[in-house]
């Protein structure tokens, strides 16, 4: 189930919230766990079993590792426990997400004909596997106590707000909240605001801009002018941001409605002054996960320059791979790794001194990066990039301006909303009048519902008698 | 969330000093109002301040990174110290807000209405048909273990939920209006155009399909040796192109007309772009504003062109007079796009004193009528079906004109309003709509005696059609 669906907005959430609020505090975790499993099973009726298996094995190993430490088990054996559970987690992730990619590679390289596995990717597996890993590693490191309640642990892994698209919540940050998460009026109101804000980002901006990008990528090379290609690139960059950060906002908002506070996942990334800065603002929970569990254990930057560069490239290759199982994602990760190394060792100082140049440079790098991200076929990618740089169907045509006329306002609105400015203005306004805020929330919500109805608006198209 | 707390504290302090100084409110009610405002003041600025605080934060980090031992950890430490300072104040404020009754706050009211709407949605009974969308709405999906495990149930559930949404028509109207406000005049291939026109664009012609069809037409004419005429009418998108918004993107119909004309070898090609353009230029209404069909007036205007293409003399045509049968016609494009039809149209039928007597037979349904018009169609949700009662796979018409020839027609709905003009000229007409024709064409051809075969299409339909090639091809076997 996705948040931007009628099923979620008018059936699931109202029922769950009502049940949750009516339940005394002691029973709320049970309600929430049941709701979360239902939520997941709605979209993945079979893979919910996989998630239950993941919950169970991580729960057991958490306890085993802690028990082992108490019984003065040797470090080696503790590490072996950690190794087993880490391998189990990664094996599941690998099997479902990367196996077919690998089979494809082997087939290409060795001209083999291994049939691909008929698997669909279980929704959210990348997210909940990383959450589970952060838990067992932190238990091993002694940073947190193992969770004794299977309900609470199951809830940590499967809680529906962040289950499908993050943020990746670290167990450490939520340990205490799992036991005690009272809901108060201020939290609910903040939650409502964040949820509707995220929903609007997703439905009113991301979906519309996504439509534009789909239309543009479907164009034959002969119609793809430079202006059209750039419009498409801007549209996609904004779409991706609003889609993802909208989802995070909704997740954080839902968390608030349920009494939890998750940390922010996005911080106006398109206002970044360098690529390094961009990655501090984009998908923060993923970046910090890799830093905590891969980069720093490898030695981080407290090693020789050579090793540091190796660490960076390795981490960014993994980051790329995490985003999707194909070669272009790996290249996309490495692409960022290289820019980060350059910023670290070559022109970081220049960027710090020239902030405006830094902004433009960052946007450009990110924009081009997204094209590598969006277009998985290298031939098509080449065509698209050539068109962007004027080696396609010329500079502009009627179509380019037609797109700007039709989508200019949404593109502009998207650009403005990707800065912190509208939020700030809205804040000042609503600080004085909560009624205004509620009015805006209601209007935005109605508009989102209207868009969902419109998208499903499906007149009988065989109308030509 | 921890890193957000410091700015909250700053905001709160400002507020207490600012517009609502303590003790200003006299009554308890005023006090509630005040704390409400504070409370939500918390909600919003959290977001906005978060940005600025972090920007400052990261600026500091950038500076620190420039220093010697900078590491990512610095960032964490910085945040942690900020957190501690803010914690106590926030806690106090939270205490005050906890007791606030949620539903008495505007945001709480919003939540209440939301839940209420959800409840109404569950309680209101399902509707079977949407008049606006002209289709059956989804019913509650069938429940079975297989369908649940396969995911079909949850998909159908969403379809059902959105089809049965209370206020669906209003919501769709809201959304298409919102689209217009943002400058997007296109909705599902329909442009909101000038003078109240909704105009359907021509999109991606599948050339392979088109070629297949034209080849099938050529082959059919060669095989049967029946003299052929291929009439193709352009659509509003080319004839009324001046009404399209500046943002319109569409294929050139003229190019495709030429292409079709060049590719056809057997039948004589008759492109109606000329006469229709002329009619429109003279101020005639060539197309309905909210429907994809041409008007009967326009069809009548093209009659001389079509007659000569069919080899009929102009003299034998009897004069006809228009009669309005529907004054509030709202067509399928309004339904398709969700745009409102700002002007309603009139449907005319043309009568003459010298009308022949005829019988219309539907061989499949085994029904006979004495008229080509349908009163039921006129009253239905699509009044254009007044012509021929809509679409039928095969209709046979026999007239009392014993001298006339025998005509075989393959057509789409543009022909439906044109047919009455030809009734007086033929003794028998067989009308095939390939999209709904499931019989064997051979049997029909074998009845023999066809003097002419007429293909009568509008370009948009023709470009998307796949059924004509199939029906014509069936004879080969």
């Amino acid at each position: 189930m996705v948040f931007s669906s009628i099923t979620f907005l008018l059936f699931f959430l109202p029922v769950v919230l009502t049940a949750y609020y009516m339940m005394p505090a002691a029973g709320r975790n049970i309600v929430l766990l049941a709701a979360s499993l239902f939520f997941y099973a709605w979209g993945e009726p079979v893979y919910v079993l996989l998630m239950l298996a993941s919950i169970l094995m991580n729960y057991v190993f958490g306890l085993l590792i802690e028990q082992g430490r108490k019984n003065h088990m040797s470090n080696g054996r503790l590490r072996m426990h950690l190794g087993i559970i880490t391998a189990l987690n990664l094996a599941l992730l690998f099997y479902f997400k990367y196996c077919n990619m690998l089979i494809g590679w082997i087939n290409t390289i060795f001209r083999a004909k291994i049939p691909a596995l008929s698997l669909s990717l279980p929704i959210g597996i990348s997210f909940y596997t990383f959450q589970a890993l952060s838990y067992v590693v932190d238990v091993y490191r002694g940073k947190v106590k193992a969770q004794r309640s299977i309900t609470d642990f199951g809830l940590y892994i499967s809680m529906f707000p962040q289950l499908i698209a993050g943020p990746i919540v670290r167990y450490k940050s939520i340990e205490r909240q799992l036991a005690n998460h009272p809901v108060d009026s201020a939290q609910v109101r903040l939650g409502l605001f964040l949820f509707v804000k995220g929903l609007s980002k997703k439905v009113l901006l991301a979906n519309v801009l996504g439509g534009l990008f789909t239309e543009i990528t479907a164009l034959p090379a002969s119609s793809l002018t430079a202006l059209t290609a750039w419009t498409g690139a801007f549209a996609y960059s904004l779409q991706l941001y609003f889609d993802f950060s909208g989802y995070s906002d909704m997740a954080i908002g839902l968390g608030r409605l349920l009494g939890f506070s998750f940390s922010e996942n996005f911080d106006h990334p398109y206002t970044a002054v360098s690529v390094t800065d961009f990655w501090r603002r984009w998908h923060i929970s993923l970046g910090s996960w890799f830093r905590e569990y891969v980069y720093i254990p490898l030695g981080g930057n407290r090693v020789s320059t050579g090793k540091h560069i190796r660490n960076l490239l390795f981490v960014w290759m993994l980051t790329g791979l995490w985003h999707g199982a194909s070669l272009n994602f790996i290249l996309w990760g490495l692409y960022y790794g290289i820019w980060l190394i350059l910023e670290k060792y070559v022109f970081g100082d220049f960027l710090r001194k020239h902030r405006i140049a830094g902004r433009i440079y960052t946007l450009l790098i990110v924009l081009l990066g997204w094209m590598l991200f969006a277009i998985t076929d290298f031939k098509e990618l080449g065509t698209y990039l050539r068109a962007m740089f004027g080696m396609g169907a010329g500079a502009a045509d009627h179509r380019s301006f037609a797109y700007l006329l039709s989508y200019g306002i949404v593109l502009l609105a998207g650009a403005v909303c990707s800065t912190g400015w509208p939020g700030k203005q809205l804040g000042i306004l609503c600080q004085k009048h909560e009624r205004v805020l509620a009015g805006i929330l209601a209007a935005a919500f109605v508009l989102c519902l209207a868009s969902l109805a419109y998208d499903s608006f499906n007149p009988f198209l065989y109308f030509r008698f | 969330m921890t890193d957000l707390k410091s700015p909250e504290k700053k905001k709160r302090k400002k507020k207490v000093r600012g517009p609502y100084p303590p003790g200003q409110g006299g009554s308890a009610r005023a006090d509630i109002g005040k704390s409400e405002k504070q409370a939500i003041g918390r909600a919003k600025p959290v977001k906005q301040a978060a940005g600025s605080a972090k920007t400052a934060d990261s600026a500091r980090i950038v500076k620190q990174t420039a220093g010697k031992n900078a590491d990512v950890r610095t960032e964490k430490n910085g945040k942690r110290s900020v957190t501690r300072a803010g914690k106590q104040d926030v806690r106090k404020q939270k205490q005050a807000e906890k007791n606030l009754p949620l539903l008495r706050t505007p945001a709480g009211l919003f939540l209440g209405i939301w839940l209420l709407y959800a409840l109404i949605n569950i309680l209101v009974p399902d509707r079977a048909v949407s008049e606006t969308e002209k289709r059956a709405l989804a019913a509650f999906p069938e429940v079975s273990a297989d369908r649940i495990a396969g995911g079909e149930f949850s998909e159908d559930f969403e379809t059902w939920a959105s089809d049965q949404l209370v206020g669906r028509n209003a919501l769709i109207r809201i959304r298409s209006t919102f689209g217009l406000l943002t400058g997007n005049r296109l909705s599902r291939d329909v442009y909101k155009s000038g003078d109240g026109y909704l105009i359907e664009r021509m999109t991606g012609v599948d050339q392979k399909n088109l070629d297949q069809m034209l080849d099938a037409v050529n082959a059919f004419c060669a095989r049967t040796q029946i003299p052929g005429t291929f009439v193709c009418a352009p659509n509003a998108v080319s004839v009324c192109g001046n009404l399209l918004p500046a943002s319109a993107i569409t294929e050139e119909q003229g190019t495709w007309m030429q292409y079709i004309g060049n590719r056809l070898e057997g039948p004589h090609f008759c492109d109606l772009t000329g006469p229709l353009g002329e009619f429109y230029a003279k101020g005639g209404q060539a197309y309905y504003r909210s429907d994809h069909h041409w008007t009967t007036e326009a069809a009548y205007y093209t009659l001389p062109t079509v007659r000569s293409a069919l080899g009929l003399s102009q003299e034998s045509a009897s004069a006809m007079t228009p009669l309005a049968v529907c004054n509030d016609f709202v067509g399928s494009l309004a339904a398709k796009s969700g745009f409102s039809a700002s002007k309603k149209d009139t449907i005319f039928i043309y009568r003459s004193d010298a009308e022949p007597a005829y019988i219309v037979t539907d061989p499949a349904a085994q029904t006979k009528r004495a008229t080509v018009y349908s009163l039921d169609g006129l009253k239905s949700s699509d009044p254009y079906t007044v012509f021929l009662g809509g679409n039928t796979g095969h209709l046979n018409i026999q007239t009392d004109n014993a001298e006339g020839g025998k005509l075989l027609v393959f057509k789409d709905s543009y022909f439906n309003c044109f047919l009455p003009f030809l009734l007086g000229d033929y003794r028998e007409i067989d009308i095939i709509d390939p999209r709904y024709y499931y019989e064997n064409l051979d049997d029909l051809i074998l009845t023999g005696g066809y003097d002419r075969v007429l293909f009568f299409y509008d370009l948009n339909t023709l470009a998307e059609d796949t059924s004509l090639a199939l029906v014509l091809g069936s004879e080969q076997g």
Side-chain angles (χ1 to χ4, degrees), chain A residues 231-348:
Chain A
T231 307
F234 272 109
Y236 184 72
S237 304
L238 290 171
Q239 179 207 353
L240 204 65
Y241 169 60
F242 289 121
D243 200 289
F244 203 173
S245 80
Y247 215 93
S248 285
D249 283 347
M250 287 189 269
I252 295 167
L254 287 170
R256 289 279 175 174
L257 286 175
L258 301 169
F260 289 90
S261 82
F262 306 135
S263 41
E264 285 288 335
N265 208 16
F266 287 88
D267 176 21
H268 309 108
Y270 291 150
T271 60
V273 293
S274 67
V275 174
T276 316
D277 188 25
F278 174 81
W279 278 102
R280 281 200 201 101
R281 295 158 172 273
W282 180 279
H283 204 177
I284 299 166
S285 65
L286 180 72
S288 61
W289 193 96
F290 271 111
R291 194 166 57 221
E292 184 78 12
Y293 299 107
V294 183
Y295 182 66
I296 292 176
L298 281 174
N301 61 357
R302 299 182 172 184
V303 285
S304 67
T305 306
K307 276 192 172 167
H308 182 217
I309 287 175
R310 178 208 67 184
N311 289 349
L312 276 171
L313 287 178
F314 181 66
V315 165
W316 283 96
M317 192 194 77
L318 289 185
T319 306
L321 203 53
W322 183 90
H323 282 85
S326 75
L327 188 60
N328 69 305
F329 289 109
I330 298 177
L331 292 180
W332 175 78
L334 290 174
Y335 167 87
Y336 274 113
I338 290 167
W339 286 108
L340 291 173
I341 290 165
L342 288 177
E343 280 185 9
K344 182 83 187 167
Y345 290 105
V346 185
F347 50 80

Side-chain angles (χ1 to χ4, degrees), chain A residues 7 193 256 454 464-465, chain B residues 44 158 187-188 413 435:
Chain A
T7 311
F193 167 73
R256 289 279 175 174
Y454 176 87
R464 307 166 175 290
F465 304 107
Chain B
K44 296 294 306 184
E158 176 71 14
S187 170
R188 294 185 208 290
S413 54
R435 292 164 299 179

Side-chain angles (χ1 to χ4, degrees), chain B residues 182-251:
Chain B
T182 64
N184 195 345
R185 302 189 72 80
L186 179 71
S187 170
R188 294 185 208 290
D189 287 336
V190 177
Y191 281 110
K192 177 124 181 133
S193 310
D195 192 24
Y197 274 84
L198 303 180
I199 298 180
E200 192 172 32
R201 70 168 163 176
M202 189 183 195
T203 49
V205 179
D206 184 343
Q207 194 171 343
K208 219 177 110 195
N209 267 344
L210 188 65
D211 286 351
Q212 245 169 26
M213 180 203 334
L214 297 174
D215 292 347
V217 169
N218 287 336
F220 178 81
C221 288
R223 206 164 49 231
T224 57
Q225 292 293 315
I226 308 171
T229 303
F230 199 111
V231 176
C232 190
N235 299 91
V237 70
S238 83
V239 175
C240 313
N242 64 323
L243 297 175
L244 284 172
S247 59
I249 298 170
T250 179
E251 296 224 13

Side-chain angles (χ1 to χ4, degrees), chain A residues 192, chain B residues 102-103 105-119:
Chain A
L192 282 173
Chain B
L102 178 68
L103 284 180
T105 64
L109 191 67
F110 162 67
L111 179 63
I113 293 172
W114 177 353
L115 297 183
L116 195 67
Y117 177 64
L119 186 68

Side-chain angles (χ1 to χ4, degrees), chain B residues 359-398:
Chain B
I359 291 178
V360 184
T361 312
D362 180 343
Q366 300 199 322
T367 55
K368 285 181 193 291
R369 289 177 286 171
T371 173
V372 289
Y373 298 106
S374 162
L375 197 62
D376 288 343
L378 187 64
K379 287 178 188 158
S380 76
S381 64
D382 184 13
Y384 186 81
T385 54
V386 67
F387 300 108
L388 279 181
N391 44 310
T392 315
H394 178 201
L395 285 179
N396 173 273
I397 298 177
Q398 310 233 357

